[in-house]
């Protein structure tokens, strides 16, 4: 037992302590207690094939709202769309769970070739994905509608450049 005073598990204990400290300070450590029990639903949804809308003949239908007396037949089309899978790999799913993304930039960093995935090609689909993750993480989605502001800003920036060019031409 050369140099170690903490016993045979000293390194393991240090690693465990370090990992727990990191997890508590990371986005996944901020998940509300009531959402932890539902994480399995999120994992299943992230990994489910996008062509499977979550309906398997009635056994996994969305639970009825308490306000509608149990009649949610008219909601199935919406529920099927809202309940689609994303077909993420194990590594991508783990990254999503660890980082709990809140912005489009994070989605692009965590999901390989996100632009080539049919179910995440469009920005609105990526925002829906972020909203799904936020329902479990309790964190607010950033940049919801920011692209419209950026487009306006780009238009104004372009107009400023054009005005500068016109001023130069006037002189």
């Amino acid at each position: 037992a050369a140099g170690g005073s903490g016993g045979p598990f000293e390194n393991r204990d240090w690693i465990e302590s370090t990992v727990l400290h990191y997890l508590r300070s990371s986005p996944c450590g901020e998940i509300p207690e009531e959402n932890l029990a539902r994480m399995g639903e999120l994992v299943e949804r992230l990994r489910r094939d996008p062509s499977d809308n979550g309906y398997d003949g009635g056994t996994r239908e969305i639970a009825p709202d308490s306000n509608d007396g149990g009649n949610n037949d008219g909601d199935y089309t919406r529920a099927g769309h809202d309940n689609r899978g994303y077909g993420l790999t194990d590594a991508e799913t783990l990254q999503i769970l660890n980082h709990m993304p809140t912005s489009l930039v994070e989605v692009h960093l965590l999901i390989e070739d996100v632009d080539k995935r049919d179910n995440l090609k469009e920005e609105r689909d990526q925002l829906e994905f972020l909203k799904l993750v936020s329902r479990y993480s309790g964190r607010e989605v950033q940049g919801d509608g920011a692209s419209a502001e950026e487009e306006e800003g780009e238009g104004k920036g372009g107009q400023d450049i054009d005005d500068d060019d016109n001023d130069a031409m006037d002189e």
Side-chain angles (χ1 to χ4, degrees), residues 123-141:
E123 185 176 323
R124 66 179 160 71
D125 294 330
Q126 294 169 20
L127 285 169
E128 285 178 25
F129 176 82
L130 285 172
K131 288 175 185 174
L132 168 69
V133 172
S134 77
R135 286 197 301 264
Y136 289 88
S137 71
R139 300 174 73 205
E140 209 174 299
V141 174

Side-chain angles (χ1 to χ4, degrees), residues 157-171:
Q159 187 176 11
D160 290 345
I161 291 170
D162 291 339
D163 288 345
D164 291 342
D165 289 344
N166 288 338
D167 290 343
M169 290 169 47
D170 290 339
E171 292 177 9

Side-chain angles (χ1 to χ4, degrees), residues 35-52:
N35 291 350
L36 287 175
R38 298 180 25 228
M39 277 300 149
E41 298 169 14
L42 177 61
V43 170
E44 192 273 331
R45 180 114 178 248
L46 294 175
R47 298 193 63 225
R48 185 186 321 137
D49 186 331
S51 63
D52 175 10

Side-chain angles (χ1 to χ4, degrees), residues 9-113:
F9 301 113
E10 179 179 15
N11 289 336
R12 183 204 63 188
D13 293 344
W14 177 83
I15 291 169
E16 185 176 289
S17 171
T18 303
V19 168
L20 285 173
H21 174 72
Y22 169 76
L23 290 175
R24 285 187 185 121
S25 64
S26 72
C28 67
E30 299 170 5
I31 297 171
E33 191 76 29
E34 60 273 7
N35 291 350
L36 287 175
R38 298 180 25 228
M39 277 300 149
E41 298 169 14
L42 177 61
V43 170
E44 192 273 331
R45 180 114 178 248
L46 294 175
R47 298 193 63 225
R48 185 186 321 137
D49 186 331
S51 63
D52 175 10
N53 67 6
Y55 183 68
D56 64 359
T59 59
R60 287 188 355 208
E61 192 169 324
I62 292 179
D65 254 333
S66 57
N67 297 336
D68 68 2
N71 181 9
N72 65 353
D73 294 342
D75 292 342
Y76 179 72
T77 304
R78 181 188 54 79
H81 176 71
D82 289 346
N83 212 19
R84 71 180 184 275
Y86 289 96
L88 301 186
T89 65
D90 290 344
E92 290 167 337
T93 301
L94 183 59
Q95 290 278 49
I96 296 297
L97 294 175
N98 282 337
H99 295 281
M100 290 295 180
T102 59
S103 71
L104 293 172
V105 170
E106 291 174 307
V107 170
H108 283 263
L109 291 171
L110 299 175
I111 301 175
E112 188 174 336
D113 295 327

